Amino acid sequence: MNHSSCIELNTEAYKHNLEFIKSQISKHTVFSSVVKGNAYGHGIEEFVKIALNAGVDHFSVYSSYEARRVYDVIKDENCTLLIMGDVNENDFEWVIKNEIEFFVFEQIRLQKAKNVAQKLGKKALCHVELETGMNRTGFTPEEIDNVLSFFEKNKDTLKFKALCTHFAGAESIGNYVRIEDQCRIFLNVKKHCEETGVKPEIYHTCCSAAMIRYPSMHFDMVRVGILQYGFWPSREIFIEYLKNKAIKESPLWRLINWKSYIMSIQKVKTGEYIGYGTTYLAGHDMKIAIVPIGYANGFSRTLSNTGRVLIRGERLPVVGIVNMNCLQIDVTGVENVSIGDEVVIIGDQGDLEVTVSSFGELSDQLNYELLTRLPLDIPRFIK
Ligand SMILES: *Cc1c(COP(=O)(O)O)cnc(C)c1O
């Protein structure tokens, strides 16, 4: 398929990041690779293949829709798949039949899981999500006794696989008190489970930020997304890490490289406007390269007159307004520039790099948001 741009994924970078993550957890703690949001924009199918090859055997997604996509890649492997959010009404049978694990945070879901498992003669593998202060999903501590007795009563159909929770912003020091409260609530309920004897097989709480910041909360598994792709959950966590370790450079590598090419080259005379409207006035005779990438392809319109790309080893500015399907780059003075030349939108070329965070800061998007909004139709390649 010949698309106007492509995304390349660097396998070596993944192995490197995986080593970093493993260095943060004990060998008894399972690493679950979080691949929701199209594997943070990397492409579920391609990314899961890379992770499998690197030895990963646990994946977490948000929805049963995403689970189906992961399942198609891992079905012949010895892997665990966990749904942390939405199980579509029509997917319950598929999920339970294929021993896919899932969060339960509602009495209705628990009842549904029991009914479907009973009908199939299978066990539903449930991760009980505890509401500890995020106020999103989860059973409150007050509801837990009911949940425990429901599991006790339905031992044949429901497996109490895990007790888990999610922190409300572990990537920011400002949330410290709130997270500490969450930890305390989780530990209390964990103790309660142990005392009553209705205990889960495993406990888990940590996302990337919490894995770095709250080692005592790792328990049996960590659910890591953003770090494995080579990005920090926040600048704050990154700087804190550098400071604590007295190092200067991030131990993480970016996997993603997003590239296009020059489609056309134009000469523009002094005093002419470039592109739609009057936002860019040529102050001298200019040479402009047209690149077939626009806001429809994930290149934000807020990068009009501010974005940068790499061509022939030079960092060059976007001039004028970013269009739906193309943008204009000032290539005045770039020697031998020609149609078909590689254009790096995110990634490196020669000694230069456009990082996701620089791109994100200019367009005022979080790493997470920028990555997950990369359109599904851009082809992904494993390198
Ligand atoms: C997204 C998510 C994670 C992973 O978060 P990162 O910050 O990307 O590591 C972990 N747990 C839950 C419940 C999530 O929704």
Side-chain angles (χ1 to χ4, degrees):
M1 190 175 35
N2 301 317
H3 200 269
S4 300
S5 73
C6 71
I7 287 172
E8 283 177 359
L9 305 176
N10 180 338
T11 309
E12 288 310 307
Y14 187 69
K15 289 186 185 148
H16 179 85
N17 297 342
L18 191 58
E19 252 172 56
F20 171 77
I21 292 165
K22 293 269 173 76
S23 76
Q24 300 295 306
I25 56 181
S26 93
K27 61 177 186 302
H28 309 293
T29 301
V30 170
F31 157 67
S32 180
S33 166
V34 177
V35 294
K36 65 191 182 191
N38 197 28
Y40 292 48
H42 291 62
I44 280 191
E45 288 77 11
E46 295 79 6
F47 182 81
V48 168
K49 277 181 205 155
I50 291 177
L52 275 178
N53 278 333
V56 172
D57 61 1
H58 200 295
F59 294 93
S60 295
V61 292
Y62 188 76
S63 65
S64 53
Y65 170 79
E66 294 169 333
R68 282 180 180 271
R69 288 179 59 196
V70 176
Y71 187 78
D72 283 343
V73 184
I74 65 166
K75 59 175 178 285
D76 297 326
E77 312 284 335
N78 195 9
C79 280
T80 308
L81 181 50
L82 170 62
I83 299 170
M84 305 186 292
D86 182 40
V87 179
N88 184 279
E89 183 69 18
N90 301 318
D91 279 336
F92 264 96
E93 286 199 12
W94 176 81
V95 163
I96 292 173
K97 195 167 70 201
N98 291 296
E99 297 173 11
I100 291 161
E101 305 184 2
F102 56 95
F103 277 29
V104 291
F105 38 70
E106 279 284 348
Q107 200 61 46
I108 292 172
R109 180 174 288 194
L110 204 50
Q111 187 67 48
K112 172 96 184 173
K114 182 205 142 199
N115 295 345
V116 173
Q118 211 158 29
K119 182 178 152 205
L120 295 172
K122 289 284 264 187
K123 262 194 178 181
L125 309 174
C126 304
H127 291 235
V128 173
E129 187 183 14
L130 189 65
E131 174 51 70
T132 54
M134 172 135 180
N135 293 311
R136 186 171 70 176
T137 43
F139 291 106
T140 62
E142 293 72 38
E143 291 172 301
I144 275 301
D145 275 329
N146 272 338
V147 174
L148 296 186
S149 54
F150 196 83
F151 274 97
E152 228 1 51
K153 251 190 265 145
N154 297 289
K155 271 188 192 146
D156 301 337
T157 43
L158 298 178
K159 178 161 182 162
F160 188 9
K161 179 74 198 183
L163 181 75
C164 60
T165 195
H166 186 53
F167 296 122
E171 69 283 353
S172 172
I173 295 167
N175 300 328
Y176 182 75
V177 174
R178 189 168 174 205
I179 307 299
E180 287 283 299
D181 281 343
Q182 288 193 268
C183 291
R184 198 169 31 74
I185 292 168
F186 186 80
L187 289 170
N188 280 341
V189 174
K190 177 176 182 285
K191 189 158 153 249
H192 181 68
C193 288
E194 278 152 14
E195 283 167 0
T196 58
V198 189
K199 323 185 266 198
E201 205 172 284
I202 61 167
Y203 298 93
H204 55 94
T205 65
C206 291
C207 58
S208 293
M211 179 188 77
I212 300 279
R213 198 168 259 170
Y214 298 94
S216 70
M217 296 303 284
H218 287 179
F219 305 113
D220 306 290
M221 185 168 94
V222 290
R223 310 178 303 257
V224 176
I226 197 86
L227 281 172
Q228 64 176 332
Y229 304 100
F231 305 103
W232 291 84
S234 66
R235 219 173 108 73
E236 219 176 295
I237 292 262
F238 173 42
I239 292 169
E240 185 185 56
Y241 186 83
L242 292 184
K243 187 172 160 237
N244 289 345
K245 299 281 165 181
I247 52 174
K248 292 212 164 62
E249 265 181 46
S250 173
L252 301 171
W253 293 0
R254 172 176 42 74
L255 272 72
I256 206 163
N257 281 288
W258 183 20
K259 294 172 178 176
S260 182
Y261 47 82
I262 296 177
M263 180 185 79
S264 176
I265 295 176
Q266 288 281 346
K267 292 212 164 97
V268 178
K269 289 239 174 325
T270 310
E272 294 283 323
Y273 290 106
I274 296 177
Y276 284 124
T278 53
T279 68
Y280 194 93
L281 177 63
H284 51 95
D285 286 355
M286 292 176 78
K287 196 157 59 171
I288 300 297
I290 315 301
V291 181
I293 285 295
Y295 57 79
N297 309 103
F299 198 100
S300 171
R301 202 166 170 280
T302 57
L303 291 166
S304 299
N305 288 310
T306 47
R308 296 280 185 279
V309 301
L310 306 178
I311 297 172
R312 291 204 170 238
E314 292 191 43
R315 192 185 306 276
L316 301 164
V318 172
V319 291
I321 302 282
V322 173
N323 295 194
M324 184 191 290
N325 299 100
C326 69
L327 49 81
Q328 298 127 166
I329 305 294
D330 179 5
V331 291
T332 313
V334 181
E335 265 177 53
N336 299 324
V337 68
S338 40
I339 289 174
D341 279 359
E342 178 187 86
V343 177
V344 170
I345 303 151
I346 291 173
D348 41 340
Q349 190 186 57
D351 299 335
L352 295 178
E353 182 182 11
V354 181
T355 62
V356 169
S357 64
S358 71
F359 189 83
E361 271 159 29
L362 287 171
S363 63
D364 200 20
Q365 296 180 82
L366 222 53
N367 278 347
Y368 289 88
E369 186 180 349
L370 187 145
L371 290 165
T372 52
R373 290 178 73 165
L374 289 172
L376 294 171
D377 65 357
I378 301 175
R380 273 77 169 167
F381 296 104
I382 299 172
K383 225 175 63 175

